[in-house]
């Protein structure tokens, strides 16, 4: 059954909980010096096909590769989104992890970091029991490109709040896809670019 998001460009990440499926979409219109982007998170009830915007923002960005919602994860209870502000004059980007409330469409910023996209990027790897797991990829220089990171860190934003903790670090390796958090195991798992599978103990995300 197709679910029409009404957007032109869909996020690569979508997620779900017991009642809804969530997808992020962008719609761009060319303007002088860049694009005007409507970036939104759509909420689709599993009992039907019509969706509605859960979160929506309009920005103007001079770099179509950046700006708006770029990641989406749910732990089954809470919904989290990774959001980029338009690039600043020096090229840096204010990037936030938002907790979205499906009941009132409100959002709360639980993590904020200013990144230089020439050297680094943030990715949502997963969410478990209210904690958010991020990947920070860093390269050696602007010529290397973030698609070939030289170092990656796993950051855990605890459900209780406070600064993120580094749970793991890798050199010339990085996680792929998303965190697997099976209900039949207290631990979570992911696979790296190297082909190795890693376990993150449940205690690490408390």
């Amino acid at each position: 059954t197709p679910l029409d998001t009404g957007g032109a460009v869909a996020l690569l990440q979508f997620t779900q909980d017991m009642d809804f499926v969530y997808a992020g979409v962008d719609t761009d219109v060319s303007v002088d010096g860049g694009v005007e982007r409507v970036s939104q998170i759509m909420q689709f009830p599993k009992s039907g096909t019509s969706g509605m915007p859960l979160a929506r923002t309009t920005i103007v960005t001079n770099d179509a590769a950046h700006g708006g919602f770029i990641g989406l994860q749910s732990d089954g209870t809470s919904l989290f989104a990774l959001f980029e502000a338009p690039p600043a004059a020096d090229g840096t980007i204010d990037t936030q992890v938002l907790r979205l409330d499906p009941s009132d469409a409100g959002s709360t910023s639980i993590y904020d970091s200013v990144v230089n996209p020439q050297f680094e990027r943030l990715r949502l790897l997963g969410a478990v029991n209210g904690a958010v797991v991020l990947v920070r990829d860093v390269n050696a220089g602007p010529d290397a490109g973030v698609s070939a990171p030289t170092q990656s860190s796993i950051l855990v934003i605890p459900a209780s709040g406070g600064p993120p903790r580094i749970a793991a670090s890798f050199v010339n390796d990085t996680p792929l896809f998303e965190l697997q958090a099976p209900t039949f195991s207290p631990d979570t798992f992911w696979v790296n670019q190297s082909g190795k599978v890693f376990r993150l103990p449940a205690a690490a995300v408390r």
Side-chain angles (χ1 to χ4, degrees):
T1 302
L3 305 176
D4 184 9
T5 64
V9 180
L11 298 187
L12 294 180
Q13 284 186 325
F14 72 99
T15 190
Q16 62 178 313
D17 55 26
M18 289 293 292
D19 300 314
F20 298 96
V21 174
Y22 305 92
V25 292
D26 292 337
T27 304
D28 293 350
V29 176
S30 295
V31 296
D32 291 340
V35 298
E36 182 181 81
R37 172 170 295 166
V38 177
S39 187
Q40 55 188 340
I41 305 297
M42 297 294 296
Q43 180 186 56
F44 295 93
K46 291 184 175 180
S47 59
T49 58
S50 59
M52 62 177 294
L54 175 65
R56 178 188 177 105
T57 185
T58 301
I59 63 172
V60 176
T61 175
N62 58 8
D63 183 354
H66 296 285
F69 296 107
I70 61 170
L72 196 61
Q73 290 286 345
S74 172
D75 64 356
T77 302
S78 299
L79 180 66
F80 302 93
L82 191 60
F83 178 81
E84 288 184 335
D90 62 358
T92 59
I93 298 175
D94 183 25
T95 306
Q96 300 181 41
V97 177
L98 304 176
R99 179 187 287 114
L100 304 177
D101 186 348
S103 64
D104 63 8
S107 66
T108 303
S109 176
I110 61 172
Y111 179 67
D112 192 310
S113 179
V114 176
V115 303
N116 185 333
Q118 291 187 333
F119 298 94
E120 60 182 326
R121 69 173 174 177
L122 292 175
R123 294 185 284 132
L124 275 181
L125 190 64
V128 186
N129 297 328
V132 178
V133 184
L134 283 170
V135 180
R136 181 184 293 274
D137 290 324
V138 180
N139 65 29
D143 293 335
V146 291
S147 60
T150 57
Q151 184 174 347
S152 292
S153 300
I154 305 296
L155 306 179
V156 177
I157 303 172
S160 57
R165 302 189 300 263
I166 298 177
S169 294
F170 306 100
V171 176
N172 297 323
D173 201 6
T174 189
L176 295 175
F177 310 119
E178 298 174 340
L179 199 71
Q180 295 295 309
T183 57
F184 47 80
S185 171
D187 299 335
T188 56
F189 305 84
W190 75 85
V191 62
N192 265 20
Q193 202 170 49
S194 61
K196 296 178 181 178
V197 175
F198 290 86
R199 175 191 287 115
L200 187 65
V205 296
R206 290 175 183 161

